[in-house]
Every structure is written in structure tokens, then in C-alpha cells.
Amino acid sequence: AVHGPGGVVSTVEHAFAALAGAGVWRDVCLEVDGDELPLLDGTAARYFDAIDALAIEPSAPPTEIASEAVIEIDASRYHFAPGLGVHVEVSLEWHDDRLAQRASWGGLKSDFRERIATARTFAFERDLSFLGATGLARHVDPESVVLIARDIHFAGRPFTPDEPARHKLLDLIGDAYLHGGPPIGRVRAQDQPAVEDPRARVRDDPAEAGARA
């Protein structure tokens, strides 16, 4: 979320990631009528295409990593190191062998549009009650979201095991944009989300195990 004199605007990560992916850190203004940016199709692709159509001259990020550092926030650890160009990586511990645990981006605009911008929003089964209670998913098209449960549910284009990791990377790029990034250098985020394999409940439930026997 972005906090400013006019209030708070939430769900900005996709638009901000699209700005970073397009190499736009100046000469643009986003006007928002409301308190959140729309999810659109659950990716950053439409934001990217709209920004790219403005034909703004790309520029280098205004920030650069000067020295190595590690920052820990709750269950996440962020590694920073100097380097040439932009390199961003996420490493995740899903505890679910169906999902890839890593994704990275080397700063190329075309690669961002093809692989990162197209990664759909995803949710775990345990998140559904929270999303319903807060209204965050009230306008979501089923084709915009991947649901990870006992089975992986998706509509539209096929699901790939690295799509959730690519979407986590998308969100990280959007978050970094708030601080003038992703910076020139290497950023690696290690996350340990408190997520168990959603199939474990089925395997470990004695009643259901007996019913299948």
C-alpha cells in the first residue's frame, strides 16, 4: 500500500512492478480514483502493456547497492550485494513438492513481459475465508487466480509449477519500486511462508483414510 496526503491506496504491486519492468522511473503519473488499484486479470501484463504504449524512454533504476547487507523481517531474509545491472531472485519454502521454489529476473524488459508480468495471482485454500471476509476477492475472475488446494485449480491457460514463485517475484519487484528499485545490484529474498502442503490434511485425516481404505 502507498500512504500519502490523500489517503492510502492498496494493491499497487502489479502496477509498480510493471513500471519497473518497463524501465520507467520518471515522467509518469498514475491517477487513482478510489482506495485500491484493480486486480484486472490477476497479472501485471495489462498494466505493462498500457505503460509500454506510452513510449516513455526507459532509464536505469535511481538506486544502486553499495555494499553487501542482509535484512531479516519476520520469516523473510533479504540479501543485497553490489553487481552490474539488475538481478532479483526469490527463494521460497512452500512445503509442497508441486511448486517450484525459485524464480529470478535479470532486468530485461522483454523477459519481464513474457515470464514475470504474466504470472497470475494465487491463493491457498486456507486463505479463502479471509479473502471472502475482507472482500478482497469480490471482483476476481476465476481465470485470474490459481487456487492451490488438494488439487491445483485454474482456468484459461495452463498452470506451470513455477507460476506462484514468478508471482512472488512480481510482487517483490513492485514492493522494491516503492523505494526506487529494484536497485542496480543483486537482491535475493528468502521466504518461509507458514504454509503446509494442503494435501497433508487429506493424508493425515484418519477418518478420510479409513473411508478410502
Side-chain angles (χ1 to χ4, degrees), residues 17-75:
L19 286 164
V24 175
W25 279 272
R26 62 188 183 204
D27 301 327
V28 67
C29 176
L30 299 182
E31 295 187 3
V32 182
D33 183 11
D35 58 1
E36 66 178 5
L37 291 179
L39 184 64
L40 298 180
D41 63 350
T43 76
R46 288 173 60 184
Y47 281 117
F48 180 93
D49 291 343
I51 293 163
D52 195 41
L54 298 174
I56 299 172
E57 185 68 25
S59 60
T63 55
E64 183 173 355
I65 300 172
S67 60
E68 292 192 22
V70 177
I71 298 175
E72 294 187 10
I73 303 175
D74 298 327

Side-chain angles (χ1 to χ4, degrees), residues 1-4 7-13 16 35-36 174-175 178-179:
V2 175
H3 298 257
V8 179
V9 179
S10 60
T11 59
V12 299
E13 294 85 358
F16 282 11
D35 58 1
E36 66 178 5
D175 288 338
L178 278 169
H179 305 284

Side-chain angles (χ1 to χ4, degrees), residues 50-165:
I51 293 163
D52 195 41
L54 298 174
I56 299 172
E57 185 68 25
S59 60
T63 55
E64 183 173 355
I65 300 172
S67 60
E68 292 192 22
V70 177
I71 298 175
E72 294 187 10
I73 303 175
D74 298 327
S76 300
R77 176 178 293 182
Y78 301 88
H79 301 254
F80 300 88
L84 299 176
V86 172
H87 183 87
V88 189
E89 178 183 341
V90 292
S91 177
L92 306 136
E93 295 186 14
W94 298 118
H95 308 293
D96 187 332
D97 57 14
R98 299 172 298 174
L99 307 179
Q101 298 190 50
R102 286 182 173 82
S104 63
W105 178 56
L108 289 178
K109 179 178 176 179
S110 58
D111 184 45
F112 180 89
R113 176 60 179 85
E114 180 180 350
R115 292 192 310 112
I116 312 304
T118 54
R120 289 168 290 193
T121 295
F122 68 95
F124 289 93
E125 186 177 22
R126 66 182 180 86
D127 299 326
L128 295 183
S129 57
F130 170 77
L131 294 173
T134 58
L136 291 176
R138 61 186 182 276
H139 301 308
V140 173
D141 184 320
E143 291 195 10
S144 304
V145 177
V146 173
L147 176 62
I148 301 168
R150 178 181 176 181
D151 297 314
I152 297 178
H153 303 273
F154 59 91
R157 57 188 168 82
F159 170 81
T160 59
D162 68 338
E163 189 167 5

